[in-house]
Structure formats: structure tokens, C-alpha cells
Amino acid sequence: MGVLINPSILSADFANLERDLGVIANADYAHVDVMDNHFVPNLTIGLSVVERLVQVCPIPIDTHLMIENPDRWAPGFAEAGAASVTFHAEAAQAPVRLARELRRLGARAGLALKPATPVEPFLDLLSEIDMLLVMTVEPGFGGQSFIEGTLPKIRRARAAISEAGLDVWVQVDGGVSRTTIERIADAGANVFVAGSAVYGADNPAAEIESLRTLANATPHSH
């Protein structure tokens, strides 16, 4: 289970997305936040933009759907070529059916939990997903500070995954930076979404490598 750095284009220049995807070509995935102004109080980009990003992105695309009714809408993102499609547990009516459909369409299936959503109800379903996204800020806006209280949840998730002998990635999104990534990795996360930390850096590519080095320095990441 290697360390993956997935910069969030929420902090990129929306008028120059192709250019700003090129800037993070040394990352593992590009994290694309889809928000519908219903599930979260913000509106970003939708399926037609993601379809084009898939075509021009130098690395695979990891979509995070912060939307209502993902049962209906999420499969379209898999069909568009997103390598990973994550939907929210709080919004899905039939999460296992949806995860199976995403996998059938060739995408990795991700299940996302808001900071206040407990992981326990989903531990028995871990074999049905490829990734668990533990939100470490309230979803909707970039640039928020990391919520320390999410670390025990990351630990419990990783312990359950290890105990079951599963290869499920644990992703964190929110407030990931040089000052927080080591603690997050130590708790058991292996996929790190960083938006403002990467795009706000003078050299985004170097910042990605710094984050990767820090995350790899913790015992859990090996």
C-alpha cells in the first residue's frame, strides 16, 4: 500500500485547468471536486467538464462527488473515464449497489464520510469498496484547517481494513499540508488530497515531492 498524493484542482485556476493539470503531472491522481450546491453549499464543475479533463489530464482522475442522488449520477463519471469515483455515504440510497456498478464500469469505487459521520456502520461493507475517504474538513470549500478529531476515525478504519485483510485505500481530504501529513499518515491514511498546499506553493511539483517524502517517513506507510 503505497503513498499517493492527489492534488485538488479546487485550488487551481479554473480558466486554465489544462495548464494547471500539467503542473501536477508528478502527482498520482488529480482530485476533482464535483459539488451541486445541494449536498454542499458550493457549486463547482459537472460531468461535461470532467469528461474533457479526463482527455487532457496527464495523470488519472480521482473524482469526489459531493452531490445528492449519486445513485443516479455517479456512474456517468465512471463512464466518462474517471479512474476513481467517490460518493458520499450520507447521500447514497444504495451504496453497495452503486459501488458495484462503478466497479463494473471500470472505476475504483470510493465511499466518503463527512467529519461527523461515524465509520462503524460501514466497516462490514469494506470489501465492496476500493477506497474510504475520511473528510478532515467539512466538505464544500478549500483552504480550511484540519480537524484533529478525525484522526481516531482514520485509525479505526485502517485497523478494520487490516484486520479484514483487505486492500482498501484510506484517503484524507482537508487541511493536508506539510504540518499535518505525518500525523495523518501515522494514523493509517495512504492517499492524501492537498489543494491549497500544492497550488499555493511557489513550486507545486516540488511541494508534491515534499508531501510524498513526509508521508513515506511514517512506519504505517510501508
Side-chain angles (χ1 to χ4, degrees):
M1 183 194 68
V3 164
L4 303 172
I5 307 294
N6 298 15
S8 166
I9 65 164
L10 194 60
S11 300
D13 177 355
F14 274 22
N16 291 286
L17 285 177
E18 184 174 5
R19 179 200 70 193
D20 277 6
L21 287 170
V23 164
I24 60 164
N26 63 317
D28 297 285
Y29 288 78
H31 187 84
V32 178
D33 290 310
V34 175
M35 307 184 196
D36 65 357
N37 210 24
H38 292 279
F39 182 71
V40 287
N42 195 4
L43 187 66
T44 54
I45 61 176
L47 180 58
S48 58
V49 175
V50 172
E51 276 180 320
R52 278 294 290 140
L53 295 181
V54 167
Q55 292 164 4
V56 301
C57 191
I59 52 179
I61 284 190
D62 161 34
T63 50
H64 177 194
L65 307 183
M66 290 171 258
I67 62 173
E68 288 182 356
N69 202 1
D71 303 78
R72 177 180 175 189
W73 298 111
F77 290 85
E79 288 167 344
S84 180
V85 179
T86 299
F87 59 90
H88 267 268
E90 303 88 356
Q93 299 301 309
V96 171
R97 187 177 67 199
L98 178 54
R100 288 178 177 179
E101 177 67 2
L102 293 171
R103 285 174 152 184
R104 188 186 69 78
L105 291 167
R108 291 179 61 88
L111 182 71
L113 307 175
K114 286 158 70 163
T117 302
V119 68
E120 281 69 23
F122 305 99
L123 294 182
D124 292 336
L125 307 178
L126 287 170
S127 63
E128 298 284 351
I129 62 172
D130 300 295
M131 184 168 73
L132 183 73
L133 166 51
V134 177
M135 288 298 297
T136 43
V137 298
E138 292 295 342
F141 295 92
Q144 300 183 69
S145 60
F146 179 76
I147 298 172
E148 297 285 337
T150 56
L151 286 170
K153 178 159 63 165
I154 296 165
R155 278 199 187 87
R156 291 195 301 272
R158 175 54 69 196
I161 290 164
S162 300
E163 192 180 334
L166 297 169
D167 180 25
V168 177
W169 297 351
V170 176
Q171 182 179 65
V172 287
D173 181 359
V176 175
S177 68
R178 286 194 219 182
T179 55
T180 58
I181 195 166
E182 289 176 280
R183 277 174 294 148
I184 300 168
D186 187 60
N190 70 301
V191 186
F192 305 88
V193 176
S196 43
V198 168
Y199 280 106
D202 291 333
N203 184 337
E207 192 67 20
I208 288 164
E209 294 308 326
S210 297
L211 291 170
R212 187 178 274 127
T213 300
L214 287 168
N216 270 313
T218 64
H220 248 130
S221 58
H222 300 299

